[in-house]
Amino acid sequence: MHQSIPLFNWSLRKAQDTEPDSFIRARISIAYTIILFALLKSIIVLFISINSGLWLQVPRAAFVLAVYVIMLKVLLYKPSSLKILTHIMTIVGILIIVSNIYLYTHKINLISLQFVFMIMLTGFYILGNGWGIMYSLISALPIIIFLILKGNPNLYFSSATQEIPSPGVEIIAILNFVSIIINHSLFYRAFQRNLKEKENLNQQLQLSVAEANSLAISRTNFLATISHELRTPLNSVIGITDLLLLDQPEERQKENLRILQFSAQDLLSLINNVLDFNKLESDKMVLERVPFCLAEFMRNICSALMVKADDKKLRFVLEIDHKLEGVVVNSDPTRLSQLIYNLVGNAIKFTDKGTITIRLDCIHKSDQTTDVLFSVTDTGAGINPEKHDAIFELFTQAESDTTRKYGGTGLGLAIVKQVLALLNSEIHLESSPGKGSRFYFTVSFVVQWEYPETISKRITDNTNFDQLKILIAEDNDVNRFILKKHLDKLNINAIMVANGKQAYEAILADDYRLLIMDLQMPEWDGYETIKQIRSIKDPAKAGIYIIAFTASVTEQQKIMDAGFNDYLYKPVTLNDLKVKLEKTVSLIGLT
Ligand code: ADP
């Protein structure tokens, strides 16, 4: 209805073309039909009343004719005035009923009743329910009053002086019926068209949803593949750097190796953020529950971050509440390190001078749980209070020049927020521009008190690990080499095979307690191999503890559903491997 229509337009189609809604188009048609029939009827009445000398009828018919000609023009020129025109039409209709009953016929005849029906029809179909009810009552009122006043009236034609004589009255009655029928039919057709349109829309919607789903699935698969492709070479870089650092390098080499290690770690953390974003979006992230010593874990992470702060000549302080020393918690170290990496990484990135402080305060402790308040404080750029909420949204940075000055993706804090939600916590921020920022959150941990002493004894006592007969199935030479080196450091002697079939045969031939198995291998992949192993007749062999060794972070559920006991992410560091083996030993025991 926004397009302009020529003033001399007499075409209904032009008036309707601008209107996409089939119901409104039907309403315009109804008004158009009623006006057209009214014009025709007024001309007939005018003609007959002049001929028959019914002079009282002439002014009314002339008035109706004039008003309806104007209304028809307005409707075709400006269809948006439909409702106002309908109100006028209805009021004129009511006046016709009143004049029919009280002025011309002094009774209730068929024509008056037909007018009442037409007013009801236009009221409901064009103006809606409220107006429909109101106009229906008003149009019926003159009839009701007449009935009350006159008792039992003659409802049919009589020879009252001002009544239009035959055949005029019959023609008008027939035209009224035709108009009523056409209008009902117009509305019903619009109703059906609307249903059909809805059906089509539904079908289109279903197609779009299916398309969007398949796109989402291919994106997830694409990211899982990319994750594997990126993590495999990174695995080599981080693993080999780790090994070189453990081989007592010269001081000069040490510095270069550290830089290499942190660049690789940075890249890995970026890849993890991108992948986790994908996982969080598809609700696939599951928290792991692994026992680890919280204080030791924090020192490990921070020793890596400390070097980064050192590069920028920043003071780096880690303060751990003494109540947390030696406390072993059951939680997800990967997610926790992701939180710390993102927050401390940002603190270092956005601070040019001063101090980065990481504090862990035990705010509540019982035998089963401990609530820890983590806070990361810096003396850096600070954040404008207006941006305090926005920076936790995806891809949002506080300033428009942040990427140019400091780099970054705007993913880190959004992931922090979502990971904390999984840990039933939330992030808080205190910050003012130029003064620095403090990000803090509280996590409630389940405590595992007995774990550290026994396990650390087992770890330092190499004879215990000697009894853990491990089989490793991995087709990638570099991964195998790194794993072997790490296992050597832990004094563990493992047998290496290059594919699933060989792993299956090795298990049949010998007794192993643990199999660490890559998922993507030639011949049988990890999933096929585990199926074969779990169906071996000997229950001891079939029940072997199997850890999936994977680069994909989106397959946790699939891995566990396939019957694996645990998973170990690539690239694996010596510490990751140690933690995983500690967990395995505590679960299966050593013989
Ligand atoms: P990225 O660091 O990749 O840009 P984040 O989601 O980690 O993305 O951070 C979003 C934005 O929040 C940053 O771009 C920066 O503007 C602001 N920000 C985060 N941490 C700090 C901080 N410690 N000091 C100042 N600004 C920060």
Side-chain angles (χ1 to χ4, degrees), residues 346-347 349-350 378 381-383 391 396-399 402 407-414 437 439:
N346 276 346
K349 187 159 77 171
F350 295 107
D378 65 58
I383 303 155
I391 55 168
T396 311
Q397 301 187 313
E399 306 301 332
T402 304
T409 52
L411 264 178
L413 289 181
S437 316
F439 288 87

mmCIF file of all heavy atoms in Angstrom, residues 346-347 349-350 378 381-383 391 396-399 402 407-414 437 439, ligand 1:
data_model
loop_
_atom_site.group_PDB
_atom_site.id
_atom_site.type_symbol
_atom_site.label_atom_id
_atom_site.label_comp_id
_atom_site.label_asym_id
_atom_site.label_seq_id
_atom_site.Cartn_x
_atom_site.Cartn_y
_atom_site.Cartn_z
ATOM 1 N N ASN A 346 45.313 -11.994 28.437
ATOM 2 C CA ASN A 346 44.801 -10.633 28.203
ATOM 3 C C ASN A 346 45.497 -9.618 29.108
ATOM 4 O O ASN A 346 45.866 -8.538 28.671
ATOM 5 C CB ASN A 346 43.296 -10.568 28.494
ATOM 6 C CG ASN A 346 42.472 -11.015 27.299
ATOM 7 O OD1 ASN A 346 42.991 -11.132 26.196
ATOM 8 N ND2 ASN A 346 41.198 -11.273 27.528
ATOM 9 N N ALA A 347 45.637 -9.990 30.400
ATOM 10 C CA ALA A 347 46.257 -9.063 31.357
ATOM 11 C C ALA A 347 47.651 -8.685 30.872
ATOM 12 O O ALA A 347 48.026 -7.502 30.889
ATOM 13 C CB ALA A 347 46.313 -9.705 32.742
ATOM 14 N N LYS A 349 48.766 -8.958 27.768
ATOM 15 C CA LYS A 349 48.659 -8.271 26.469
ATOM 16 C C LYS A 349 48.326 -6.782 26.633
ATOM 17 O O LYS A 349 48.897 -5.938 25.968
ATOM 18 C CB LYS A 349 47.564 -8.977 25.648
ATOM 19 C CG LYS A 349 47.453 -8.488 24.223
ATOM 20 C CD LYS A 349 46.773 -9.508 23.325
ATOM 21 C CE LYS A 349 45.273 -9.538 23.522
ATOM 22 N NZ LYS A 349 44.581 -10.372 22.517
ATOM 23 N N PHE A 350 47.392 -6.477 27.544
ATOM 24 C CA PHE A 350 46.917 -5.095 27.655
ATOM 25 C C PHE A 350 47.645 -4.279 28.733
ATOM 26 O O PHE A 350 47.155 -3.235 29.158
ATOM 27 C CB PHE A 350 45.411 -5.073 27.902
ATOM 28 C CG PHE A 350 44.628 -5.631 26.729
ATOM 29 C CD1 PHE A 350 44.017 -6.870 26.805
ATOM 30 C CD2 PHE A 350 44.554 -4.924 25.538
ATOM 31 C CE1 PHE A 350 43.319 -7.395 25.720
ATOM 32 C CE2 PHE A 350 43.863 -5.443 24.449
ATOM 33 C CZ PHE A 350 43.245 -6.679 24.541
ATOM 34 N N ASP A 378 45.558 -6.584 36.798
ATOM 35 C CA ASP A 378 46.679 -5.979 36.072
ATOM 36 C C ASP A 378 46.688 -4.470 36.275
ATOM 37 O O ASP A 378 45.733 -3.899 36.814
ATOM 38 C CB ASP A 378 46.601 -6.332 34.572
ATOM 39 C CG ASP A 378 45.384 -5.751 33.894
ATOM 40 O OD1 ASP A 378 45.218 -4.523 33.912
ATOM 41 O OD2 ASP A 378 44.578 -6.535 33.328
ATOM 42 N N ALA A 381 45.780 -1.102 30.571
ATOM 43 C CA ALA A 381 44.953 -0.094 29.901
ATOM 44 C C ALA A 381 43.599 0.137 30.577
ATOM 45 O O ALA A 381 43.046 1.236 30.509
ATOM 46 C CB ALA A 381 44.732 -0.519 28.449
ATOM 47 N N GLY A 382 43.067 -0.870 31.241
ATOM 48 C CA GLY A 382 41.732 -0.752 31.843
ATOM 49 C C GLY A 382 40.643 -0.741 30.783
ATOM 50 O O GLY A 382 40.939 -0.649 29.578
ATOM 51 N N ILE A 383 39.400 -0.843 31.240
ATOM 52 C CA ILE A 383 38.292 -0.928 30.277
ATOM 53 C C ILE A 383 37.212 0.072 30.669
ATOM 54 O O ILE A 383 36.820 0.159 31.840
ATOM 55 C CB ILE A 383 37.694 -2.355 30.266
ATOM 56 C CG1 ILE A 383 38.792 -3.379 29.948
ATOM 57 C CG2 ILE A 383 36.559 -2.485 29.259
ATOM 58 C CD1 ILE A 383 38.511 -4.753 30.463
ATOM 59 N N ILE A 391 32.342 -6.677 26.240
ATOM 60 C CA ILE A 391 33.562 -7.447 25.945
ATOM 61 C C ILE A 391 33.384 -8.945 26.173
ATOM 62 O O ILE A 391 34.180 -9.731 25.683
ATOM 63 C CB ILE A 391 34.796 -6.945 26.747
ATOM 64 C CG1 ILE A 391 34.487 -6.937 28.243
ATOM 65 C CG2 ILE A 391 35.267 -5.602 26.245
ATOM 66 C CD1 ILE A 391 35.733 -6.735 29.088
ATOM 67 N N THR A 396 33.832 -9.340 20.299
ATOM 68 C CA THR A 396 33.758 -7.925 20.675
ATOM 69 C C THR A 396 35.020 -7.496 21.401
ATOM 70 O O THR A 396 35.476 -8.173 22.327
ATOM 71 C CB THR A 396 32.542 -7.680 21.595
ATOM 72 O OG1 THR A 396 31.421 -8.277 20.993
ATOM 73 C CG2 THR A 396 32.296 -6.205 21.786
ATOM 74 N N GLN A 397 35.565 -6.374 20.985
ATOM 75 C CA GLN A 397 36.726 -5.813 21.656
ATOM 76 C C GLN A 397 36.346 -4.434 22.187
ATOM 77 O O GLN A 397 35.443 -3.779 21.651
ATOM 78 C CB GLN A 397 37.895 -5.711 20.671
ATOM 79 C CG GLN A 397 38.253 -7.100 20.113
ATOM 80 C CD GLN A 397 39.489 -7.107 19.264
ATOM 81 O OE1 GLN A 397 39.629 -6.269 18.409
ATOM 82 N NE2 GLN A 397 40.373 -8.049 19.507
ATOM 83 N N ALA A 398 37.053 -3.993 23.259
ATOM 84 C CA ALA A 398 36.635 -2.755 23.917
ATOM 85 C C ALA A 398 36.830 -1.543 23.006
ATOM 86 O O ALA A 398 35.995 -0.662 22.941
ATOM 87 C CB ALA A 398 37.405 -2.581 25.220
ATOM 88 N N GLU A 399 37.936 -1.498 22.291
ATOM 89 C CA GLU A 399 38.210 -0.345 21.433
ATOM 90 C C GLU A 399 38.306 -0.795 19.983
ATOM 91 O O GLU A 399 38.698 -1.918 19.708
ATOM 92 C CB GLU A 399 39.533 0.326 21.844
ATOM 93 C CG GLU A 399 39.612 0.706 23.311
ATOM 94 C CD GLU A 399 38.521 1.678 23.740
ATOM 95 O OE1 GLU A 399 38.044 2.452 22.904
ATOM 96 O OE2 GLU A 399 38.122 1.641 24.927
ATOM 97 N N THR A 402 41.764 -2.091 18.890
ATOM 98 C CA THR A 402 42.405 -3.153 19.675
ATOM 99 C C THR A 402 43.122 -4.166 18.786
ATOM 100 O O THR A 402 44.269 -4.530 19.041
ATOM 101 C CB THR A 402 41.345 -3.896 20.544
ATOM 102 O OG1 THR A 402 40.694 -2.941 21.340
ATOM 103 C CG2 THR A 402 41.998 -4.929 21.438
ATOM 104 N N GLY A 407 46.229 -7.159 18.436
ATOM 105 C CA GLY A 407 45.813 -8.420 17.817
ATOM 106 C C GLY A 407 44.619 -8.982 18.568
ATOM 107 O O GLY A 407 43.976 -8.276 19.352
ATOM 108 N N GLY A 408 44.308 -10.236 18.350
ATOM 109 C CA GLY A 408 43.211 -10.880 19.084
ATOM 110 C C GLY A 408 41.972 -11.033 18.227
ATOM 111 O O GLY A 408 41.847 -10.434 17.161
ATOM 112 N N THR A 409 41.059 -11.858 18.749
ATOM 113 C CA THR A 409 39.877 -12.226 17.967
ATOM 114 C C THR A 409 38.570 -11.816 18.636
ATOM 115 O O THR A 409 37.522 -11.831 18.011
ATOM 116 C CB THR A 409 39.823 -13.756 17.808
ATOM 117 O OG1 THR A 409 39.933 -14.321 19.116
ATOM 118 C CG2 THR A 409 40.929 -14.269 16.922
ATOM 119 N N GLY A 410 38.639 -11.484 19.928
ATOM 120 C CA GLY A 410 37.397 -11.190 20.645
ATOM 121 C C GLY A 410 36.653 -12.457 21.038
ATOM 122 O O GLY A 410 35.478 -12.419 21.381
ATOM 123 N N LEU A 411 37.350 -13.594 21.015
ATOM 124 C CA LEU A 411 36.708 -14.866 21.362
ATOM 125 C C LEU A 411 36.946 -15.229 22.833
ATOM 126 O O LEU A 411 36.107 -15.858 23.465
ATOM 127 C CB LEU A 411 37.341 -15.987 20.525
ATOM 128 C CG LEU A 411 36.681 -16.442 19.251
ATOM 129 C CD1 LEU A 411 37.505 -17.508 18.581
ATOM 130 C CD2 LEU A 411 35.293 -16.971 19.548
ATOM 131 N N GLY A 412 38.130 -14.828 23.326
ATOM 132 C CA GLY A 412 38.596 -15.305 24.637
ATOM 133 C C GLY A 412 37.608 -15.125 25.769
ATOM 134 O O GLY A 412 37.230 -16.097 26.434
ATOM 135 N N LEU A 413 37.126 -13.892 25.982
ATOM 136 C CA LEU A 413 36.258 -13.650 27.142
ATOM 137 C C LEU A 413 34.893 -14.298 26.967
ATOM 138 O O LEU A 413 34.264 -14.709 27.947
ATOM 139 C CB LEU A 413 36.116 -12.146 27.394
ATOM 140 C CG LEU A 413 37.375 -11.454 27.936
ATOM 141 C CD1 LEU A 413 37.120 -9.982 28.160
ATOM 142 C CD2 LEU A 413 37.848 -12.104 29.235
ATOM 143 N N ALA A 414 34.428 -14.394 25.685
ATOM 144 C CA ALA A 414 33.141 -15.062 25.455
ATOM 145 C C ALA A 414 33.245 -16.524 25.871
ATOM 146 O O ALA A 414 32.324 -17.084 26.487
ATOM 147 C CB ALA A 414 32.754 -14.955 23.989
ATOM 148 N N SER A 437 42.728 -3.509 35.497
ATOM 149 C CA SER A 437 41.506 -4.317 35.583
ATOM 150 C C SER A 437 41.682 -5.465 36.565
ATOM 151 O O SER A 437 42.807 -5.921 36.813
ATOM 152 C CB SER A 437 41.170 -4.938 34.226
ATOM 153 O OG SER A 437 41.322 -4.013 33.201
ATOM 154 N N PHE A 439 39.729 -9.156 36.948
ATOM 155 C CA PHE A 439 38.711 -10.142 36.577
ATOM 156 C C PHE A 439 38.689 -11.191 37.678
ATOM 157 O O PHE A 439 39.747 -11.657 38.107
ATOM 158 C CB PHE A 439 39.087 -10.837 35.257
ATOM 159 C CG PHE A 439 38.943 -9.961 34.040
ATOM 160 C CD1 PHE A 439 39.976 -9.128 33.629
ATOM 161 C CD2 PHE A 439 37.777 -9.986 33.287
ATOM 162 C CE1 PHE A 439 39.850 -8.324 32.504
ATOM 163 C CE2 PHE A 439 37.638 -9.194 32.154
ATOM 164 C CZ PHE A 439 38.678 -8.357 31.760
HETATM 165 P P1 ADP B 1 40.813 -10.568 22.387
HETATM 166 O O1 ADP B 1 41.735 -10.431 23.549
HETATM 167 O O2 ADP B 1 41.154 -11.694 21.491
HETATM 168 O O3 ADP B 1 40.580 -9.289 21.671
HETATM 169 P P2 ADP B 1 38.880 -11.172 24.435
HETATM 170 O O4 ADP B 1 37.475 -11.688 24.325
HETATM 171 O O5 ADP B 1 39.827 -11.955 25.237
HETATM 172 O O6 ADP B 1 39.389 -10.982 22.950
HETATM 173 O O7 ADP B 1 38.796 -9.708 25.005
HETATM 174 C C1 ADP B 1 37.833 -8.804 24.500
HETATM 175 C C2 ADP B 1 38.292 -7.386 24.705
HETATM 176 O O8 ADP B 1 38.228 -7.025 26.080
HETATM 177 C C3 ADP B 1 39.719 -7.113 24.302
HETATM 178 O O9 ADP B 1 39.829 -6.895 22.915
HETATM 179 C C4 ADP B 1 40.039 -5.862 25.105
HETATM 180 O O10 ADP B 1 39.523 -4.733 24.451
HETATM 181 C C5 ADP B 1 39.231 -6.080 26.367
HETATM 182 N N1 ADP B 1 40.065 -6.646 27.465
HETATM 183 C C6 ADP B 1 40.088 -7.932 27.892
HETATM 184 N N2 ADP B 1 40.921 -8.088 28.931
HETATM 185 C C7 ADP B 1 41.465 -6.873 29.175
HETATM 186 C C8 ADP B 1 42.415 -6.366 30.134
HETATM 187 N N3 ADP B 1 42.972 -7.157 31.066
HETATM 188 N N4 ADP B 1 42.715 -5.041 30.086
HETATM 189 C C9 ADP B 1 42.146 -4.235 29.158
HETATM 190 N N5 ADP B 1 41.247 -4.636 28.224
HETATM 191 C C10 ADP B 1 40.912 -5.939 28.237
#
